[in-house]
């Protein structure tokens, strides 16, 4: 008997993020810089939504419920953690991935391409030299994201070898959970709608060139 | 015997043509240096023009100056891609394909030169929308060559 563990918004964010990271790499590698920029803006929208959903969404999506201190991580390491959703060590992985992607989006927003033909929507808020440096860092930072993605996949494979399947629950949203563990409290659908609207609104504002809509 | 001679001619003729085109190592180094510096200057001017043209109130003087720099550089660009200035000679992002399909490359280079002149002419006028349109055309000609004939930036 399985129980709900990941709600639909959390799963959508997860798989869209994975797909858009791949698409961002592909589009910029094959000179579709315009698509690359829109992919980054889509990722920005996902990040804003996930941040909001992490405050007011389902219990397993909320940062307050899964981001834990070193003591909880140590207890998890000793094997005495029991719960639903992200374990205390996995929480660090979640934070690292979202943090690294947020840095990458921030760098991309102020970057310009080496020929001066494409620029992130906020590039004109900084100098041309800063935009060039941001692009160099943006390229370099991708290696950090690749490293974290590799770690993420390695952890999933490790659990798989020990008999725990993590990928299927991220698709179906359900997993076998001990009956004595408090089940997931689902978030309200209309709160998810508000989060989507706010995320699109902020992303739209960034696309316009932010503060007074560019300069 | 005659067939062998014919075959040898077929193989050697293009090689002889390339050999004729070979330039001295000093010339090659100078051309590649000028090419690199010239492309850098074009890139810098393009960025300056782009920043103005994207803004609500473009500084036309900056656009004109950039268009002038790009126009001047394109006139020199005809001498930047002589045979013997490829990656087999020294470190460059210019791909060998440039010299494998010189007809296509020369046509693209010509498009770039024409577009730069058109942008320069538009910048000399006062119509910002015309400048934006010619700038977009120019960008397209940069991209046409760079996508096909420029190797990726080396990893930092």
């Amino acid at each position: 008997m399985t129980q709900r563990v990941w709600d639909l918004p959390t799963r959508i964010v997860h798989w869209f993020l994975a797909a858009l990271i791949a698409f961002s790499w592909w589009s910029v590698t094959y000179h579709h810089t315009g698509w690359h920029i829109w992919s980054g803006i889509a990722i920005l929208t996902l990040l804003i939504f996930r941040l909001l959903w992490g405050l007011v969404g389902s219990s397993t999506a909320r940062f307050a419920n899964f981001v834990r201190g070193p003591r909880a991580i140590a207890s998890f390491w000793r094997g005495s953690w029991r719960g639903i959703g992200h374990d205390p060590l996995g929480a660090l992985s979640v934070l690292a991935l979202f943090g690294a992607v947020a840095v990458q989006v921030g760098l991309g927003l102020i970057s310009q391409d080496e020929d001066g033909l494409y620029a992130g929507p906020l590039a004109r808020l900084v100098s041309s030299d800063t935009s060039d440096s941001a692009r160099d860092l943006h390229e370099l930072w991708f290696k950090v994201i690749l490293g974290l993605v590799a770690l993420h996949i390695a952890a999933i494979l490790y659990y798989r070898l020990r008999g725990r399947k993590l990928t299927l629950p991220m698709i179906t949203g359900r997993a076998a959970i001990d009956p004595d563990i408090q089940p997931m409290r689902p978030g309200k659908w209309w709160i998810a709608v508000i989060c989507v609207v706010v995320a699109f609104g902020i992303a739209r504002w960034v696309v316009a060139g932010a503060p007074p809509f560019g300069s | 015997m005659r067939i062998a001679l014919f075959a040898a001619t077929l193989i050697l003729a293009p090689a002889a043509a390339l050999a004729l085109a070979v330039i001295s190592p000093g010339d090659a180094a100078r051309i590649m240096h000028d090419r690199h510096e010239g492309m850098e200057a074009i890139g810098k001017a393009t960025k300056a023009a782009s920043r103005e043209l994207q803004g609500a109130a473009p500084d036309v003087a900056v656009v004109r100056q950039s268009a002038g720099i790009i126009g001047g550089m394109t006139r020199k660009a005809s001498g930047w891609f002589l045979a013997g200035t490829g990656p087999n000679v020294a470190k460059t992002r210019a791909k060998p394909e440039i010299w494998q399909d010189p007809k296509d490359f020369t046509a693209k280079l010509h498009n770039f030169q024409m577009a730069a002149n058109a942008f320069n002419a538009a910048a000399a006028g006062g119509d910002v929308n015309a400048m934006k349109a010619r700038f977009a055309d120019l960008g397209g000609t940069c991209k046409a060559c760079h996508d096909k004939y420029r190797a990726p930036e080396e990893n930092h």
Side-chain angles (χ1 to χ4, degrees):
Chain A
M1 190 54 196
T2 59
Q3 286 190 45
R4 292 183 69 187
V5 55
W6 307 121
D7 61 21
L8 189 62
T10 303
R11 283 178 280 149
I12 287 177
V13 167
H14 175 272
W15 292 111
F16 267 81
L17 187 61
L20 286 169
I21 288 173
F23 180 74
S24 293
W25 168 82
W26 177 84
S27 55
V28 80
T29 303
Y30 293 98
H31 311 297
H32 302 294
T33 314
W35 296 352
H36 177 81
I37 292 171
W38 282 110
S39 180
I41 289 159
I43 291 174
L44 172 72
T45 314
L46 283 179
L47 288 180
I48 298 166
F49 171 80
R50 185 61 185 86
L51 185 66
L52 296 170
W53 195 240
L55 301 174
V56 297
S58 304
S59 59
T60 54
R62 293 194 188 197
F63 298 116
N65 289 342
F66 68 77
V67 178
R68 309 288 298 277
R71 201 175 301 168
I73 295 169
S75 132
F76 167 75
W77 198 253
R78 287 191 302 268
S80 54
W81 179 83
R82 293 179 74 246
I84 185 170
H86 297 293
D87 62 61
L89 188 62
L92 291 184
S93 170
V94 173
L95 290 187
L97 269 163
F98 279 126
V101 173
V103 167
Q104 187 70 332
V105 168
L107 287 169
L109 289 175
I110 58 166
S111 291
Q112 63 188 357
D113 77 319
E114 64 169 323
D115 298 334
L117 306 178
Y118 297 91
L122 304 185
R124 292 179 69 256
L125 298 180
V126 300
S127 73
S128 189
D129 286 345
T130 305
S131 286
D132 283 334
S133 306
R135 184 191 69 247
D136 287 342
L137 270 174
H138 188 70
E139 273 185 63
L140 209 58
W141 194 254
F142 184 58
K143 293 185 167 66
V144 173
I145 290 177
L146 276 185
L148 290 171
V149 168
L151 193 64
H152 180 71
I153 294 170
I156 291 162
L157 291 175
Y158 172 76
Y159 279 108
R160 184 70 192 83
L161 289 175
R162 292 184 23 165
R164 261 191 83 189
K165 294 178 182 175
L166 297 180
T167 311
L168 196 63
M170 192 46 88
I171 296 169
T172 63
R174 305 183 72 89
I177 308 283
D178 288 346
D180 57 322
I181 287 169
Q182 203 184 15
M184 179 187 99
R185 269 179 294 106
K188 305 257 185 302
W189 69 267
W190 56 271
I191 292 181
V193 171
I194 292 173
C195 292
V196 168
V197 171
V198 172
F200 270 94
I202 295 174
R204 182 67 190 84
W205 174 52
V206 169
V207 169
F213 302 112
S215 52
Chain B
M1 185 61 203
R2 277 181 64 180
I3 290 167
L5 198 67
F6 180 65
T9 315
L10 267 187
I11 293 161
L12 290 175
L18 273 180
L20 284 175
V22 160
I23 50 177
S24 78
D27 281 348
R30 184 182 49 76
I31 289 169
M32 291 169 91
H33 175 262
D34 288 354
R35 179 169 78 203
H36 183 81
E37 297 301 312
M39 287 297 189
E40 288 277 315
I42 291 170
K44 217 172 162 188
T46 306
K47 285 166 187 169
S50 163
R51 276 167 183 263
E52 291 306 327
L53 291 173
Q54 278 169 41
D59 183 343
V60 175
V62 173
V63 178
R64 279 182 192 145
Q65 195 193 2
S66 298
I69 292 169
I70 298 166
M73 283 298 163
T74 57
R75 280 189 279 284
K76 296 180 184 171
S78 299
W80 281 349
F81 294 94
L82 297 187
T85 61
N88 53 334
V89 175
K91 208 180 127 206
T92 175
R93 291 170 64 195
K95 284 188 178 175
E97 283 86 340
I98 292 171
W99 298 281
Q100 287 158 11
D101 190 0
K103 210 182 245 177
D104 178 65
F105 179 81
T106 311
K108 285 187 165 62
L109 182 63
H110 181 68
N111 290 342
F112 165 59
Q113 290 167 320
M114 299 299 282
N117 288 340
F119 176 50
N120 210 352
D127 183 353
V128 172
N129 283 330
M131 293 182 210
K132 284 182 185 172
R134 298 291 83 74
F135 181 75
D137 295 344
L138 175 61
T141 66
C142 298
K143 189 170 160 56
C145 253
H146 288 167
D147 286 359
K148 195 168 175 188
Y149 293 114
R150 180 175 66 179
E153 236 175 332
E154 257 179 38
N155 281 335
H156 306 276

